[in-house]
Short mmCIF file of all heavy atoms in Angstrom, two decimals:
data_model
loop_
_atom_site.label_atom_id
_atom_site.label_comp_id
_atom_site.label_asym_id
_atom_site.label_seq_id
_atom_site.Cartn_x
_atom_site.Cartn_y
_atom_site.Cartn_z
N THR A 1507 86.11 1.43 -0.33
CA THR A 1507 85.30 0.60 0.55
C THR A 1507 86.20 -0.42 1.22
O THR A 1507 87.36 -0.59 0.81
CB THR A 1507 84.15 -0.09 -0.21
OG1 THR A 1507 83.21 -0.62 0.72
CG2 THR A 1507 84.65 -1.18 -1.13
N GLU A 1508 85.66 -1.14 2.19
CA GLU A 1508 86.42 -2.18 2.86
C GLU A 1508 85.98 -3.58 2.44
O GLU A 1508 86.75 -4.52 2.51
CB GLU A 1508 86.30 -2.04 4.37
CG GLU A 1508 86.98 -0.79 4.89
CD GLU A 1508 86.89 -0.65 6.40
OE1 GLU A 1508 86.43 -1.60 7.07
OE2 GLU A 1508 87.27 0.40 6.89
N ILE A 1509 84.72 -3.71 2.04
CA ILE A 1509 84.18 -5.02 1.67
C ILE A 1509 83.14 -4.86 0.57
O ILE A 1509 82.42 -3.86 0.53
CB ILE A 1509 83.58 -5.74 2.90
CG1 ILE A 1509 83.24 -7.18 2.57
CG2 ILE A 1509 82.41 -4.98 3.47
CD1 ILE A 1509 82.96 -8.04 3.77
N ILE A 1510 83.08 -5.86 -0.30
CA ILE A 1510 82.08 -5.88 -1.37
C ILE A 1510 81.21 -7.10 -1.17
O ILE A 1510 81.71 -8.22 -1.06
CB ILE A 1510 82.76 -5.90 -2.76
CG1 ILE A 1510 83.60 -4.63 -2.96
CG2 ILE A 1510 81.71 -6.04 -3.87
CD1 ILE A 1510 84.41 -4.59 -4.23
N HIS A 1511 79.91 -6.88 -1.08
CA HIS A 1511 78.95 -7.96 -0.87
C HIS A 1511 78.40 -8.41 -2.23
O HIS A 1511 78.30 -7.61 -3.16
CB HIS A 1511 77.79 -7.46 0.00
CG HIS A 1511 78.23 -6.87 1.28
ND1 HIS A 1511 78.52 -7.62 2.40
CD2 HIS A 1511 78.47 -5.57 1.63
CE1 HIS A 1511 78.90 -6.83 3.37
NE2 HIS A 1511 78.88 -5.59 2.94
N ILE A 1512 78.01 -9.68 -2.32
CA ILE A 1512 77.49 -10.23 -3.57
C ILE A 1512 76.18 -10.96 -3.28
O ILE A 1512 76.11 -11.77 -2.36
CB ILE A 1512 78.49 -11.22 -4.20
CG1 ILE A 1512 79.83 -10.54 -4.46
CG2 ILE A 1512 77.92 -11.80 -5.50
CD1 ILE A 1512 80.94 -11.50 -4.86
N VAL A 1513 75.14 -10.66 -4.09
CA VAL A 1513 73.86 -11.36 -4.02
C VAL A 1513 73.43 -11.71 -5.44
O VAL A 1513 73.84 -11.06 -6.40
CB VAL A 1513 72.76 -10.53 -3.32
CG1 VAL A 1513 73.10 -10.29 -1.86
CG2 VAL A 1513 72.50 -9.22 -4.03
N ASP A 1514 72.61 -12.74 -5.57
CA ASP A 1514 72.06 -13.10 -6.87
C ASP A 1514 70.98 -12.10 -7.27
O ASP A 1514 70.17 -11.70 -6.44
CB ASP A 1514 71.41 -14.48 -6.83
CG ASP A 1514 72.42 -15.60 -6.98
OD1 ASP A 1514 73.49 -15.36 -7.55
OD2 ASP A 1514 72.12 -16.71 -6.53
N LYS A 1515 70.98 -11.69 -8.54
CA LYS A 1515 69.90 -10.87 -9.07
C LYS A 1515 68.89 -11.77 -9.77
O LYS A 1515 67.71 -11.69 -9.53
CB LYS A 1515 70.44 -9.82 -10.04
CG LYS A 1515 69.35 -8.95 -10.65
CD LYS A 1515 69.94 -7.97 -11.64
CE LYS A 1515 68.91 -7.03 -12.22
NZ LYS A 1515 67.79 -7.67 -12.87
N ASP A 1516 69.40 -12.62 -10.66
CA ASP A 1516 68.57 -13.55 -11.43
C ASP A 1516 69.48 -14.64 -11.98
O ASP A 1516 70.58 -14.82 -11.49
CB ASP A 1516 67.79 -12.82 -12.54
CG ASP A 1516 68.67 -11.99 -13.45
OD1 ASP A 1516 69.84 -12.38 -13.69
OD2 ASP A 1516 68.20 -10.95 -13.95
N ASP A 1517 69.02 -15.35 -12.99
CA ASP A 1517 69.83 -16.44 -13.56
C ASP A 1517 71.08 -15.96 -14.27
O ASP A 1517 72.02 -16.73 -14.45
CB ASP A 1517 69.00 -17.28 -14.53
CG ASP A 1517 67.93 -18.10 -13.83
OD1 ASP A 1517 68.06 -18.33 -12.61
OD2 ASP A 1517 66.97 -18.51 -14.50
N ASP A 1518 71.10 -14.71 -14.68
CA ASP A 1518 72.21 -14.21 -15.50
C ASP A 1518 73.17 -13.27 -14.77
O ASP A 1518 74.30 -13.09 -15.22
CB ASP A 1518 71.66 -13.47 -16.73
CG ASP A 1518 70.88 -14.40 -17.64
OD1 ASP A 1518 71.31 -15.56 -17.82
OD2 ASP A 1518 69.83 -13.97 -18.16
N PHE A 1519 72.74 -12.65 -13.67
CA PHE A 1519 73.55 -11.61 -13.04
C PHE A 1519 73.63 -11.73 -11.52
O PHE A 1519 72.69 -12.21 -10.89
CB PHE A 1519 72.98 -10.22 -13.37
CG PHE A 1519 73.10 -9.85 -14.81
CD1 PHE A 1519 72.03 -10.06 -15.67
CD2 PHE A 1519 74.26 -9.30 -15.32
CE1 PHE A 1519 72.12 -9.73 -17.02
CE2 PHE A 1519 74.37 -8.96 -16.66
CZ PHE A 1519 73.29 -9.17 -17.51
N HIS A 1520 74.76 -11.25 -11.00
CA HIS A 1520 74.94 -11.00 -9.57
C HIS A 1520 74.88 -9.49 -9.38
O HIS A 1520 75.17 -8.72 -10.30
CB HIS A 1520 76.34 -11.41 -9.10
CG HIS A 1520 76.62 -12.87 -9.14
ND1 HIS A 1520 76.01 -13.77 -8.31
CD2 HIS A 1520 77.49 -13.59 -9.89
CE1 HIS A 1520 76.48 -14.97 -8.54
NE2 HIS A 1520 77.37 -14.90 -9.52
N ILE A 1521 74.54 -9.06 -8.18
CA ILE A 1521 74.69 -7.66 -7.79
C ILE A 1521 75.80 -7.62 -6.75
O ILE A 1521 75.77 -8.34 -5.76
CB ILE A 1521 73.38 -7.08 -7.20
CG1 ILE A 1521 72.26 -7.13 -8.23
CG2 ILE A 1521 73.61 -5.65 -6.70
CD1 ILE A 1521 72.48 -6.31 -9.48
N ASN A 1522 76.81 -6.79 -7.01
CA ASN A 1522 77.88 -6.53 -6.05
C ASN A 1522 77.59 -5.16 -5.48
O ASN A 1522 77.36 -4.20 -6.23
CB ASN A 1522 79.23 -6.50 -6.75
CG ASN A 1522 79.68 -7.85 -7.27
OD1 ASN A 1522 80.85 -8.15 -7.21
ND2 ASN A 1522 78.79 -8.67 -7.76
N PHE A 1523 77.58 -5.04 -4.16
CA PHE A 1523 77.30 -3.74 -3.57
C PHE A 1523 78.25 -3.45 -2.43
O PHE A 1523 78.78 -4.35 -1.78
CB PHE A 1523 75.84 -3.63 -3.13
CG PHE A 1523 75.43 -4.62 -2.06
CD1 PHE A 1523 75.41 -4.24 -0.73
CD2 PHE A 1523 75.05 -5.92 -2.40
CE1 PHE A 1523 75.05 -5.14 0.25
CE2 PHE A 1523 74.68 -6.82 -1.43
CZ PHE A 1523 74.67 -6.43 -0.09
N PHE A 1524 78.49 -2.15 -2.23
CA PHE A 1524 79.43 -1.72 -1.20
C PHE A 1524 79.12 -0.28 -0.82
O PHE A 1524 78.50 0.47 -1.58
CB PHE A 1524 80.88 -1.85 -1.68
CG PHE A 1524 81.17 -1.19 -3.00
CD1 PHE A 1524 81.68 0.09 -3.06
CD2 PHE A 1524 80.93 -1.86 -4.19
CE1 PHE A 1524 81.96 0.70 -4.28
CE2 PHE A 1524 81.21 -1.28 -5.42
CZ PHE A 1524 81.72 0.02 -5.46
N ASP A 1525 79.54 0.08 0.39
CA ASP A 1525 79.34 1.44 0.88
C ASP A 1525 80.54 2.30 0.53
O ASP A 1525 81.68 1.83 0.57
CB ASP A 1525 79.15 1.44 2.40
CG ASP A 1525 77.85 0.80 2.83
OD1 ASP A 1525 76.87 0.86 2.06
OD2 ASP A 1525 77.80 0.25 3.95
N ILE A 1526 80.26 3.56 0.19
CA ILE A 1526 81.31 4.54 -0.05
C ILE A 1526 80.99 5.77 0.78
O ILE A 1526 79.85 5.98 1.21
CB ILE A 1526 81.42 4.92 -1.55
CG1 ILE A 1526 80.09 5.45 -2.09
CG2 ILE A 1526 81.90 3.72 -2.37
CD1 ILE A 1526 80.16 6.01 -3.50
N GLU A 1527 82.00 6.58 1.00
CA GLU A 1527 81.80 7.82 1.75
C GLU A 1527 80.96 8.80 0.93
O GLU A 1527 81.14 8.90 -0.30
CB GLU A 1527 83.14 8.47 2.09
CG GLU A 1527 83.96 7.69 3.09
CD GLU A 1527 83.31 7.61 4.46
OE1 GLU A 1527 82.75 8.63 4.91
OE2 GLU A 1527 83.35 6.53 5.05
N LYS A 1528 80.09 9.48 1.60
CA LYS A 1528 79.27 10.50 0.94
C LYS A 1528 80.21 11.54 0.31
O LYS A 1528 81.21 11.92 0.89
CB LYS A 1528 78.36 11.18 1.97
CG LYS A 1528 77.37 12.12 1.35
CD LYS A 1528 76.41 12.66 2.37
CE LYS A 1528 75.42 13.58 1.70
NZ LYS A 1528 74.49 14.14 2.65
N GLY A 1529 79.90 11.93 -0.89
CA GLY A 1529 80.71 12.92 -1.60
C GLY A 1529 81.76 12.30 -2.52
O GLY A 1529 82.43 13.02 -3.25
N THR A 1530 81.91 10.98 -2.50
CA THR A 1530 82.90 10.33 -3.37
C THR A 1530 82.26 9.58 -4.54
O THR A 1530 82.98 8.98 -5.35
CB THR A 1530 83.79 9.35 -2.58
OG1 THR A 1530 82.97 8.30 -2.04
CG2 THR A 1530 84.55 10.05 -1.46
N ALA A 1531 80.95 9.61 -4.64
CA ALA A 1531 80.24 8.82 -5.66
C ALA A 1531 80.73 9.14 -7.07
O ALA A 1531 80.97 8.21 -7.86
CB ALA A 1531 78.73 9.03 -5.56
N SER A 1532 80.91 10.40 -7.41
CA SER A 1532 81.35 10.76 -8.76
C SER A 1532 82.74 10.21 -9.05
O SER A 1532 83.00 9.67 -10.13
CB SER A 1532 81.36 12.28 -8.94
OG SER A 1532 80.06 12.78 -8.89
N GLU A 1533 83.64 10.34 -8.09
CA GLU A 1533 85.01 9.84 -8.25
C GLU A 1533 85.01 8.32 -8.44
O GLU A 1533 85.69 7.80 -9.33
CB GLU A 1533 85.84 10.22 -7.02
CG GLU A 1533 87.26 9.73 -7.06
CD GLU A 1533 88.03 10.08 -5.80
OE1 GLU A 1533 87.59 10.93 -5.02
OE2 GLU A 1533 89.10 9.47 -5.61
N VAL A 1534 84.24 7.61 -7.62
CA VAL A 1534 84.18 6.15 -7.71
C VAL A 1534 83.56 5.74 -9.04
O VAL A 1534 84.07 4.83 -9.72
CB VAL A 1534 83.40 5.56 -6.52
CG1 VAL A 1534 83.25 4.06 -6.66
CG2 VAL A 1534 84.08 5.90 -5.20
N GLN A 1535 82.49 6.39 -9.45
CA GLN A 1535 81.84 6.06 -10.73
C GLN A 1535 82.79 6.30 -11.90
O GLN A 1535 82.85 5.48 -12.82
CB GLN A 1535 80.57 6.88 -10.91
CG GLN A 1535 79.43 6.40 -10.05
CD GLN A 1535 78.18 7.24 -10.23
OE1 GLN A 1535 78.17 8.28 -10.87
NE2 GLN A 1535 77.08 6.77 -9.62
N GLU A 1536 83.53 7.40 -11.87
CA GLU A 1536 84.48 7.69 -12.94
C GLU A 1536 85.57 6.62 -13.00
O GLU A 1536 85.95 6.17 -14.09
CB GLU A 1536 85.11 9.07 -12.75
CG GLU A 1536 84.17 10.21 -13.05
CD GLU A 1536 84.79 11.57 -12.73
OE1 GLU A 1536 86.03 11.67 -12.61
OE2 GLU A 1536 84.02 12.53 -12.60
N PHE A 1537 86.08 6.21 -11.85
CA PHE A 1537 87.10 5.16 -11.81
C PHE A 1537 86.57 3.86 -12.40
O PHE A 1537 87.21 3.24 -13.24
CB PHE A 1537 87.58 4.94 -10.36
CG PHE A 1537 88.48 3.75 -10.24
CD1 PHE A 1537 89.80 3.82 -10.65
CD2 PHE A 1537 88.01 2.56 -9.73
CE1 PHE A 1537 90.63 2.71 -10.57
CE2 PHE A 1537 88.83 1.44 -9.64
CZ PHE A 1537 90.15 1.53 -10.05
N ILE A 1538 85.37 3.45 -11.96
CA ILE A 1538 84.78 2.20 -12.44
C ILE A 1538 84.50 2.27 -13.93
O ILE A 1538 84.81 1.34 -14.68
CB ILE A 1538 83.51 1.86 -11.64
CG1 ILE A 1538 83.89 1.53 -10.19
CG2 ILE A 1538 82.74 0.72 -12.29
CD1 ILE A 1538 82.69 1.44 -9.25
N THR A 1539 83.92 3.36 -14.39
CA THR A 1539 83.60 3.52 -15.81
C THR A 1539 84.86 3.47 -16.67
O THR A 1539 84.87 2.81 -17.72
CB THR A 1539 82.84 4.85 -16.03
OG1 THR A 1539 81.64 4.83 -15.24
CG2 THR A 1539 82.49 5.06 -17.49
N ALA A 1540 85.92 4.13 -16.24
CA ALA A 1540 87.18 4.13 -16.99
C ALA A 1540 87.78 2.72 -17.02
O ALA A 1540 88.28 2.27 -18.07
CB ALA A 1540 88.17 5.12 -16.37
N PHE A 1541 87.73 2.01 -15.90
CA PHE A 1541 88.26 0.64 -15.85
C PHE A 1541 87.48 -0.27 -16.79
O PHE A 1541 88.07 -1.03 -17.55
CB PHE A 1541 88.18 0.11 -14.41
CG PHE A 1541 88.89 -1.20 -14.22
CD1 PHE A 1541 90.18 -1.23 -13.72
CD2 PHE A 1541 88.29 -2.40 -14.57
CE1 PHE A 1541 90.85 -2.43 -13.56
CE2 PHE A 1541 88.94 -3.61 -14.41
CZ PHE A 1541 90.24 -3.63 -13.91
N ILE A 1542 86.16 -0.18 -16.76
CA ILE A 1542 85.32 -1.01 -17.63
C ILE A 1542 85.65 -0.75 -19.10
O ILE A 1542 85.80 -1.69 -19.88
CB ILE A 1542 83.82 -0.75 -17.34
CG1 ILE A 1542 83.45 -1.32 -15.96
CG2 ILE A 1542 82.94 -1.35 -18.44
CD1 ILE A 1542 82.07 -0.92 -15.47
N ALA A 1543 85.80 0.52 -19.48
CA ALA A 1543 86.11 0.87 -20.87
C ALA A 1543 87.51 0.38 -21.25
O ALA A 1543 87.69 -0.21 -22.32
CB ALA A 1543 86.00 2.37 -21.06
N ARG A 1544 88.49 0.59 -20.38
CA ARG A 1544 89.87 0.21 -20.67
C ARG A 1544 90.02 -1.30 -20.85
O ARG A 1544 90.76 -1.76 -21.70
CB ARG A 1544 90.79 0.71 -19.54
CG ARG A 1544 92.25 0.43 -19.75
CD ARG A 1544 93.14 1.04 -18.67
NE ARG A 1544 92.86 0.48 -17.35
CZ ARG A 1544 92.33 1.16 -16.33
NH1 ARG A 1544 92.00 2.43 -16.48
NH2 ARG A 1544 92.12 0.59 -15.16
N GLU A 1545 89.28 -2.08 -20.08
CA GLU A 1545 89.39 -3.54 -20.12
C GLU A 1545 88.31 -4.20 -21.00
O GLU A 1545 88.21 -5.42 -21.02
CB GLU A 1545 89.32 -4.12 -18.71
CG GLU A 1545 90.42 -3.62 -17.78
CD GLU A 1545 91.82 -3.98 -18.24
OE1 GLU A 1545 91.98 -5.01 -18.94
OE2 GLU A 1545 92.76 -3.24 -17.90
N ASN A 1546 87.53 -3.39 -21.71
CA ASN A 1546 86.47 -3.89 -22.60
C ASN A 1546 85.50 -4.83 -21.88
O ASN A 1546 85.20 -5.93 -22.36
CB ASN A 1546 87.07 -4.59 -23.82
CG ASN A 1546 87.89 -3.65 -24.66
OD1 ASN A 1546 87.47 -2.54 -24.96
ND2 ASN A 1546 89.08 -4.08 -25.02
N LEU A 1547 84.99 -4.39 -20.73
CA LEU A 1547 84.09 -5.19 -19.92
C LEU A 1547 82.64 -4.72 -19.99
O LEU A 1547 81.82 -5.10 -19.17
CB LEU A 1547 84.55 -5.16 -18.45
CG LEU A 1547 85.89 -5.82 -18.16
CD1 LEU A 1547 86.32 -5.54 -16.72
CD2 LEU A 1547 85.81 -7.31 -18.42
N GLU A 1548 82.30 -3.92 -20.99
CA GLU A 1548 80.97 -3.34 -21.08
C GLU A 1548 79.86 -4.39 -21.07
O GLU A 1548 78.77 -4.13 -20.55
CB GLU A 1548 80.83 -2.47 -22.33
CG GLU A 1548 81.63 -1.20 -22.29
CD GLU A 1548 83.07 -1.37 -22.79
OE1 GLU A 1548 83.49 -2.52 -23.08
OE2 GLU A 1548 83.77 -0.36 -22.91
N ASP A 1549 80.09 -5.57 -21.62
CA ASP A 1549 79.08 -6.62 -21.66
C ASP A 1549 79.09 -7.49 -20.40
O ASP A 1549 78.24 -8.37 -20.25
CB ASP A 1549 79.29 -7.53 -22.87
CG ASP A 1549 79.05 -6.80 -24.20
OD1 ASP A 1549 78.28 -5.81 -24.18
OD2 ASP A 1549 79.61 -7.24 -25.20
N SER A 1550 80.05 -7.26 -19.51
CA SER A 1550 80.22 -8.12 -18.33
C SER A 1550 79.81 -7.47 -17.02
O SER A 1550 79.36 -8.16 -16.11
CB SER A 1550 81.69 -8.53 -18.22
OG SER A 1550 82.13 -9.12 -19.41
N ILE A 1551 80.02 -6.17 -16.90
CA ILE A 1551 79.77 -5.46 -15.64
C ILE A 1551 79.32 -4.05 -15.93
O ILE A 1551 79.77 -3.43 -16.90
CB ILE A 1551 81.05 -5.49 -14.76
CG1 ILE A 1551 80.78 -4.91 -13.36
CG2 ILE A 1551 82.21 -4.81 -15.43
CD1 ILE A 1551 81.92 -5.12 -12.38
N SER A 1552 78.44 -3.53 -15.08
CA SER A 1552 77.98 -2.15 -15.23
C SER A 1552 77.56 -1.61 -13.87
O SER A 1552 77.29 -2.38 -12.94
CB SER A 1552 76.80 -2.05 -16.21
OG SER A 1552 75.71 -2.83 -15.73
N ILE A 1553 77.54 -0.30 -13.76
CA ILE A 1553 77.03 0.33 -12.55
C ILE A 1553 75.52 0.15 -12.55
O ILE A 1553 74.86 0.41 -13.56
CB ILE A 1553 77.44 1.81 -12.48
CG1 ILE A 1553 78.98 1.91 -12.37
CG2 ILE A 1553 76.75 2.50 -11.31
CD1 ILE A 1553 79.52 3.32 -12.44
#
Side-chain angles (χ1 to χ4, degrees):
T1507 193
E1508 292 181 8
I1509 189 166
I1510 298 175
H1511 306 276
I1512 302 170
V1513 296
D1514 279 335
K1515 179 182 183 304
D1516 53 33
D1517 290 340
D1518 297 320
F1519 293 96
H1520 293 292
I1521 299 297
N1522 291 217
F1523 62 97
F1524 52 95
D1525 292 330
I1526 57 172
E1527 292 295 319
K1528 187 175 181 181
T1530 63
S1532 293
E1533 179 182 344
V1534 176
Q1535 286 179 352
E1536 287 175 18
F1537 172 77
I1538 293 169
T1539 301
F1541 189 98
I1542 290 170
R1544 182 175 63 247
E1545 300 299 332
N1546 298 313
L1547 294 172
E1548 291 87 354
D1549 294 335
S1550 306
I1551 187 170
S1552 60
I1553 296 174

